Amino acid sequence: MESLLPSVSIDPDLAAIWPATALGCVFWSAPVLPHAPQLWQYFASHTQPRLAQLLETTELAALPQIGPSRRAFKAFGRDPGRVRISSEALYRRLRQGKELYHINTAVDANNLVSLETGFSLGTYDLACLQGNLVLRLGREGESYAGIGKDALDLNRMPLLADDAGPFGCPCSDSQRAMIVANTPANAAPRPLLTVIYGFSGAEGLEAAIAVTHKHLSAFAAANSLVSKVVCP
């Protein structure tokens, strides 16, 4: 299986600005179902109570991975107060007492891992991607339609691109590779990729990958999982 997977690399120009950039990549397959009731039961009994206490006593910048990500974005030339990584956005939503979005089994498991580890994660439909993948800085004039958002300005943004161009970033992914639930007539597993965006070096990514394996298997029916850490 590994020989059929796209390669993932980090552009040297990005790494020169922030050498502590690293990615955790989990290739997996599963049918994507509309609902994950067991996941939300787990969230209500385990994750939410712990986070409620943490968010009450801890500044956002001191939460796991938020500080390094903010400093990395500033080094790249983006204002971290205006573009926030997805894990920070999730923490803010919980802190404001808002309910998390219920999307589908793959996306909800993705967000659960993000909340428990502090890393920003993106999950992508491999059938929608072309060629090999690279994390690089966005170029002037580059943008894409974000999920549930208008065009996202990608200039100086750390982003994932394939042969067709940008498709994901730690803040908001594109509609092109977004995960949609299988139809009832087609519940066959399909190949997916979950990327853990790290800006504090490779340390911590292995533990985050272990949490990813655990939750994807338990709540998203993941199988054929293949993982690796990508460093500059």
Side-chain angles (χ1 to χ4, degrees), residues 37-59:
Q38 290 181 318
L39 182 151
W40 293 108
Q41 292 169 10
Y42 174 91
F43 174 76
S45 62
H46 293 79
T47 311
Q48 190 171 27
R50 181 182 65 81
L51 286 178
Q53 182 177 7
L54 180 66
L55 292 170
E56 186 177 342
T57 59
T58 309
E59 292 294 328

Side-chain angles (χ1 to χ4, degrees), residues 205-226:
L205 281 174
E206 290 290 357
I209 286 174
V211 176
T212 305
H213 277 229
K214 174 186 173 183
H215 289 334
L216 293 182
S217 299
F219 303 124
N223 58 68
S224 303
L225 293 96
V226 176

